[in-house]
Every structure is written in C-alpha cells, then in structure tokens.
Amino acid sequence: MLTELSIKNYALIEDIKINLQQGFTIITGETGAGKSIMLGALGLLLGKRADYSAIRNAKNKCIIEGVFDISNYSLKRFFEAEDLDFEEQTIIRREILASGKSRAFINDTPVTLPVLVKLGDFLIDIHGQHQTLSLGENQYQFQVLDTLAKNQEVLQNYKKGLKEHKKLQQQLSVLKEDQSQALKEHDYNLFLLNELQEAKLKAGEQEELEERYEELSNVETLTEHLSFAVNQIQQEEIGSLSGLKEVKTNLSKISKISVNYATLQERIESVIIELDDVAQELENSLERVEANPEELEQVNAKLQLIYNLQKKHAAGSVEELIEITNTLNEKVALTENADADLEKLQQDILKSRKELENISTEIYNNRKKIIPEFVTTVEKIVAELGMPNARLKIELNQQSEFFANGQDILNWYLSANKGGDFNELKKAASGGELSRIMLAVKSILATQSKLPTIVFDEIDTGVSGDIAQKMGDILQKMGLSMQVIAITHLPQIAGKGSKHFKIFKEDIGETTVTKIEELAIEDRIEELAMMLGGNTKSESAMAHAKALLN
C-alpha cells in the first residue's frame, strides 16, 4: 500500500508531498491542473522510462519517492532473490538529471529499471484512460481469464515447453538441410573417403618412407663409405682402434708414477670403449645395406600416392590427410545414418508436442471453468451500472496450432440491449459502456489478485448521474479490501471517497506551479458544489454536495 508520495522538480510540480491511507481516495482538479503529471510521476516510480524534458529546473535533479507498507504482501522472497534489504516500510526512489542520467533505488540500494518494474507489478495497478480500450484486445482478455484461472505457473511451463519444441523443430529443419546437401555430395565424398582409407595412412609415416627411400636409392654410396669407416677403425695395422690399444698399453706402464697419467689411461680406455661401440654400429649398418629394387619400388609407390593425395586435398602432411579422412567419414555417416537421426528427432518432436498439448489442455480447462461465473458476475455488476439488458458471451475454442499462450482462440462478444445481436466487444460497446464493463472486470480482478493498490484515471468516462453514483459505490466497496485511488471529474464518485485531494495550479511570481492539498470536510463540500454547479457554489449545489457526502 502506498502511504506517502513526494515529487520534486517534475513538470509543473516544484515540491509536493501527500500522505495516503487504506480505502477509497479521490483526486480531483480542473482539466490541465496536473492530474496526468501525478500519474506520470507515479509511473516513473514504477520503472517507466524517464522523459528528461519533464524536469522543471534543469539545474536541479528531479526526485520522486514513494513509501510502501508491504508488511502483509509476502514479498521477502522477492527481496532475497534480488539481493535487497527487506523493510516493511519500503522506500522506492527515482532520481533524474537533465544530463540524461537516471537512477533508481529500493531502500537506498541502487537497482535497474527491470527490477523496479517487477516490484511495481506486485504493488500497484495503474488504470489509465487508454487501458479501457484494451478491454477489446485479445491479449488483455486472455490476461483477465488467466488471472482468474490462476494459470500463471502452468503458462510458464507452457512457454518453456513451446520454446523447447520450436528449438527441436529448428534442429529438424537444419538436419534436413544438411542431409539434403550431404546427399548431393555423398557419392563424391564416398569415393574420396575410400581412396584415403585404402591408402592406410599413419601419422609420421611420410618421414619414415622418405628416409627409407634415400637409403635404398644410395646403396653403393652407403656401402663404400661405411666399409671405409669400418676399415679405418678396425684394421689391425692402421686402424684407429688398434692404435688406441697400443697407447693404452704404453700409458699403463707409467700410470703409477702420477695420478695424471693414470687419469689419461682411464680416458683412453673410455675412448676405446666408445669407438668399439661405434665400430659395431657401423658393421651392423653395413650388414643391413643391400640392394632391394622391389622394396624401393614399393616405397616409391607409397610416397607418390601420399604426394598425390596431398596435392588433391591441398594438405601439407599425412596428419592433415587423416583429419580430412575423419571429416569425410562424418559426412558420409550423416547421409548413411540419415533415417535413424531423422526418426529420433521426429520422435522427440512428437513427444514434445504431446507434452505441450497436455499443458494446453490444462490451460484450456482452467479458462473454461471460470468463464460462466465470470460472465454472470460481470453482467450483474454492469446491470447495477445501468446496463440491465447487457449480455456478455465468451467463446473459447482449442485449436491444433500452438500460440504464445496456449492453443486457444478467444472472443468476447456483447449484446448491450435487449433482443440485440451479439457483436465483438470493441465494436458493440460505446465508450461509457466500455468504462462500466472495465470497472466490473477490475473489481473482480481486485478480489482475486489481492493487489495492494489500484489507481483509476477517469474510469468514469462516458457516464453520469445515477450510473456515476453506482460506479462510486463499487469503487468504495473495492476500497474496503484494498487501496483504491481514483482521479475523477464526477461529483457522485468524488463524494464516495474517504479521503479527497485537489490538484490545482497557482501562479507564483512569473511561474505557474501545480499543487495538491487534502480537503477538509468544508472544502470538500465546496469542491463538490463547484463540480456540480460548473464552478459556481449555489445553495442547491451546496445542499446536493452535502447529500453526496451524507
């Protein structure tokens, strides 16, 4: 419930502050006095985008602040989810600068506008003049039924399921397109794949083959040089190994004279061991070298195959050819496994559709269930508001197609006069009739949604006299269970309020400002008399005003 509202430096408002309470509160004022400014400021408090041109004095910031008593509205979970301090007397503040900056706070914690909007949805419903026309719009009609049917949770499940269903359908479309393209290329891809698979490529194979090719191509050269090396090391007369052994023998004779000679002997011995090992390796290599024209032909053939494949696929290595083989394998498999993949995805879509249909049926049943009572209640209320012969008909039909909020087609029809034909609500109802039907709908919704506060901006458009009196009775009754604030130009409604504020303009020096004041009983009588008598306070108007205030 809104308990306090203050507005500074906004449009024609310099600085105003009002205290509000439970029940039915009235706001009146002449046309252009600033009632719409009040609603605009309240909208900013609830997260609407700021119009920086509305700042009264660009040197100062615009501040709009509201105090809300939320002690009985179970909002602790919301505050925890948004990491906000919960206070039973919660303060919401908007600050707007002419520079284009705007800031929002909940209990002095900075918040984004979406958070402000979410909290505002729990606190206030502002019914502007334009919203009456929305009664004829399909989206609002669904919203009314779903609120009464308590469909919020099941609708969330439906929207989640619809999103997943559309995702699966998109996957199916992409898969079909991919498979269609793969089918066109299948034969060629299969040929390339077989060619690569028949090559039986191995990582590192190319380097090994190239090395072996060089060996087989240079048998004579290898034999000549390896033989020479072996002879130079191992010949008994001139071989290096033989000479080193003689050196070792000679050094052994002087090794005991000095540690240095002993060390030299050890080093010579190490060289002999290493050289002996080298000689053995040379002999082994020499033994392996032999002319093998057949193997040379095989190695050369494999290398030429690799080179041709690399050129064909623009690859720089065997490893790249192996990667290309894997990719081709996937493309071919996509085509060959097409039926299985398509069938699985189609089964998933069928399952998803079935789940959506079950949820849609639940939504439909919930809506269908509340329609008779809702229609009866609306007809009863509008009958009290001077439409005794009005008949409302709501048709709800389930379709096979999935829509944003279910599978239903919804139409509201109205027969305003006795014996009249039913026609679409927005075509059949006049402005005054729409206002009365909307008030009936709002009064029903108010009891169901338990919203703390509702603000009506001239819900009485197009009505007068006894109808206005009865409309006031309904608003007054709504005020028994919630906070109702009504901006009105009808004295019959204004007289029903438990609290009455007047908005007016006042010239101060060279500037005009909008002010608001709470009216005492005597002031209320005068205000109602002026509303009745067209700004004149005749005795009859004063008497009528007193009667309206009981």
Side-chain angles (χ1 to χ4, degrees):
M1 181 181 74
L2 180 62
T3 60
E4 187 178 295
L5 176 65
S6 64
I7 306 169
K8 294 181 182 179
N9 196 34
Y10 180 68
L12 294 179
I13 296 174
E14 189 174 89
D15 188 356
I16 64 172
K17 181 177 180 179
I18 58 174
N19 294 309
L20 299 158
Q21 61 185 27
Q22 180 84 11
F24 183 29
T25 297
I26 292 294
I27 298 176
T28 60
E30 295 181 1
T31 301
K35 299 187 293 293
S36 61
I37 296 175
M38 285 280 295
L39 286 177
L42 194 55
L44 288 173
L45 203 61
L46 300 176
K48 284 191 175 181
R49 294 288 174 182
D51 180 2
Y52 302 103
S53 63
I55 297 177
R56 176 179 173 80
N57 184 348
K59 295 180 181 179
N60 301 318
K61 61 185 175 182
C62 165
I63 301 176
I64 301 163
E65 188 171 276
V67 181
F68 294 83
D69 182 350
I70 61 171
S71 54
N72 298 320
Y73 300 119
S74 305
L75 290 176
K76 281 188 177 181
R77 188 172 296 176
F78 171 84
F79 278 73
E80 290 172 358
E82 299 296 339
D83 197 22
L84 296 169
D85 294 330
F86 176 82
E87 300 288 347
E88 291 188 348
Q89 299 298 315
T90 282
I91 300 173
I92 301 176
R93 186 171 79 255
R94 281 291 296 276
E95 295 181 358
I96 304 164
L97 302 176
S99 62
K101 292 182 178 179
S102 170
R103 299 191 299 172
F105 302 86
I106 296 176
N107 292 331
D108 288 328
T109 299
V111 295
T112 61
L113 290 189
V115 173
L116 213 56
V117 170
K118 282 197 287 186
L119 179 58
D121 288 341
F122 290 113
L123 300 178
I124 297 182
D125 175 17
I126 298 180
H127 178 86
Q129 297 178 46
H130 67 280
Q131 195 178 3
T132 298
L133 298 176
S134 68
L135 188 60
E137 301 300 325
N138 206 234
Q139 183 178 355
Y140 185 76
Q141 293 170 355
F142 269 117
Q143 185 179 332
V144 170
L145 291 189
D146 288 327
T147 299
L148 297 174
K150 296 180 172 57
N151 265 342
Q152 285 75 12
E153 185 175 346
V154 68
L155 272 171
Q156 285 183 352
N157 293 336
Y158 172 82
K159 289 175 181 178
K160 183 179 178 181
L162 182 61
K163 183 178 179 181
E164 181 62 27
H165 184 67
K166 288 181 176 179
K167 182 180 177 182
L168 289 172
Q169 288 180 318
Q170 179 65 23
Q171 289 176 355
L172 179 62
S173 176
V174 171
L175 181 60
K176 284 182 176 179
E177 185 177 342
D178 288 346
Q179 289 181 344
S180 175
Q181 186 65 27
L183 190 60
K184 294 176 184 177
E185 302 171 355
H186 176 260
D187 291 341
Y188 182 59
N189 286 337
L190 184 59
F191 167 75
L192 294 176
L193 177 62
N194 290 334
E195 187 178 47
L196 285 165
Q197 287 179 334
E198 286 173 3
K200 298 179 180 179
L201 300 172
K202 298 176 183 177
E205 180 181 21
Q206 183 177 351
E207 292 77 6
E208 293 177 3
L209 287 170
E210 288 174 340
E211 183 177 328
R212 184 59 179 156
Y213 177 80
E214 288 298 321
E215 288 181 346
L216 291 169
S217 299
N218 294 279
V219 170
E220 291 182 3
T221 303
L222 288 172
T223 301
E224 177 186 348
H225 293 289
L226 286 172
S227 298
F228 176 80
V230 170
N231 288 333
Q232 289 297 314
I233 293 174
Q234 292 189 335
Q235 275 189 9
E236 291 185 5
E237 295 180 0
I238 61 170
S240 301
L241 195 57
S242 176
L244 285 173
K245 288 179 179 179
E246 288 184 10
V247 172
K248 175 190 172 186
T249 302
N250 280 286
L251 285 176
S252 67
K253 296 177 180 179
I254 59 173
S255 61
K256 293 181 180 180
I257 296 174
S258 169
V259 174
N260 290 336
Y261 303 138
T263 301
L264 286 171
Q265 181 192 1
E266 291 173 1
R267 291 174 65 185
I268 288 294
E269 188 171 0
S270 297
V271 172
I272 291 170
I273 293 171
E274 179 64 21
L275 191 59
D276 189 46
D277 187 59
V278 170
Q280 189 62 48
E281 282 293 321
L282 286 169
E283 283 186 344
N284 293 339
S285 297
L286 183 59
E287 289 176 3
R288 287 196 299 269
V289 174
E290 63 176 318
N292 191 338
E294 185 179 343
E295 183 183 358
L296 176 62
E297 186 179 349
Q298 290 174 351
V299 170
N300 183 53
K302 185 63 179 284
L303 280 173
Q304 291 306 315
L305 175 61
I306 290 173
Y307 296 150
N308 290 337
L309 289 172
Q310 286 175 339
K311 183 178 180 180
K312 189 172 190 175
H313 294 279
S317 65
V318 169
E319 286 72 21
E320 286 185 39
L321 287 174
I322 292 173
E323 289 181 11
I324 292 169
T325 304
N326 294 335
T327 302
L328 285 169
N329 197 29
E330 290 175 3
K331 289 182 178 180
V332 170
L334 181 66
T335 308
E336 294 177 347
N337 298 330
D339 292 342
D341 292 342
L342 277 175
E343 185 178 354
K344 182 182 184 308
L345 194 49
Q346 287 168 340
Q347 288 298 322
D348 290 342
I349 290 174
L350 285 174
K351 181 182 177 183
S352 171
R353 181 179 182 85
K354 185 64 178 177
E355 291 173 354
L356 268 181
E357 287 174 344
N358 291 338
I359 298 173
S360 299
T361 299
E362 184 180 355
I363 293 171
Y364 169 81
N365 290 336
N366 291 343
R367 288 168 176 167
K368 197 78 173 176
K369 185 177 180 181
I370 57 93
I371 286 175
E373 183 180 353
F374 173 68
V375 168
T376 300
T377 308
V378 169
E379 290 176 347
K380 179 180 178 183
I381 294 173
V382 297
E384 296 173 5
L385 295 174
M387 297 174 66
N389 298 313
R391 294 293 176 265
L392 180 66
K393 180 170 70 172
I394 296 178
E395 289 186 353
L396 185 73
N397 297 298
Q398 195 170 15
Q399 308 294 307
S400 59
E401 185 179 352
F402 293 116
F403 305 111
N405 58 357
Q407 290 182 278
D408 302 337
I409 295 292
L410 174 67
N411 288 294
W412 288 25
Y413 299 98
L414 177 70
S415 172
N417 303 301
K418 195 170 186 178
D421 294 331
F422 281 98
N423 201 352
E424 287 184 47
L425 179 62
K426 59 183 176 183
K427 295 179 180 179
S430 66
E433 289 168 339
L434 270 180
S435 293
R436 282 175 268 182
I437 296 170
M438 176 58 90
L439 180 59
V441 170
K442 286 286 185 179
S443 65
I444 296 169
L445 289 175
T447 58
Q448 291 289 326
S449 61
K450 295 181 170 49
L451 196 69
T453 302
I454 187 168
V455 179
F456 289 106
D457 180 19
E458 299 192 11
I459 186 69
D460 49 23
T461 298
V463 300
S464 59
D466 185 52
I467 304 304
Q469 184 85 13
K470 292 175 179 177
M471 190 174 275
D473 289 336
I474 292 174
L475 291 168
Q476 189 179 49
K477 184 179 179 181
M478 289 174 65
L480 296 176
S481 58
M482 65 184 301
Q483 183 183 50
V484 179
I485 301 171
I487 296 173
T488 182
H489 65 280
L490 295 180
Q492 295 90 340
I493 291 178
K496 300 291 183 179
S498 56
K499 207 167 190 179
H500 189 156
F501 291 91
K502 180 179 180 179
I503 294 180
F504 58 95
K505 287 180 180 178
E506 185 176 284
D507 294 332
I508 300 176
E510 297 298 319
T511 60
T512 300
V513 298
T514 290
K515 292 194 171 183
I516 185 168
E517 63 179 14
E518 184 178 355
L519 300 180
I521 187 66
E522 295 82 5
D523 300 320
R524 288 191 70 180
I525 293 171
E526 289 192 12
E527 175 70 5
L528 292 179
M530 292 180 70
M531 293 171 72
L532 287 163
N535 291 332
T536 60
K537 296 181 285 187
S538 63
E539 288 187 12
S540 62
M542 293 289 284
H544 192 181
K546 290 178 180 178
L548 290 175
L549 288 170
N550 296 322

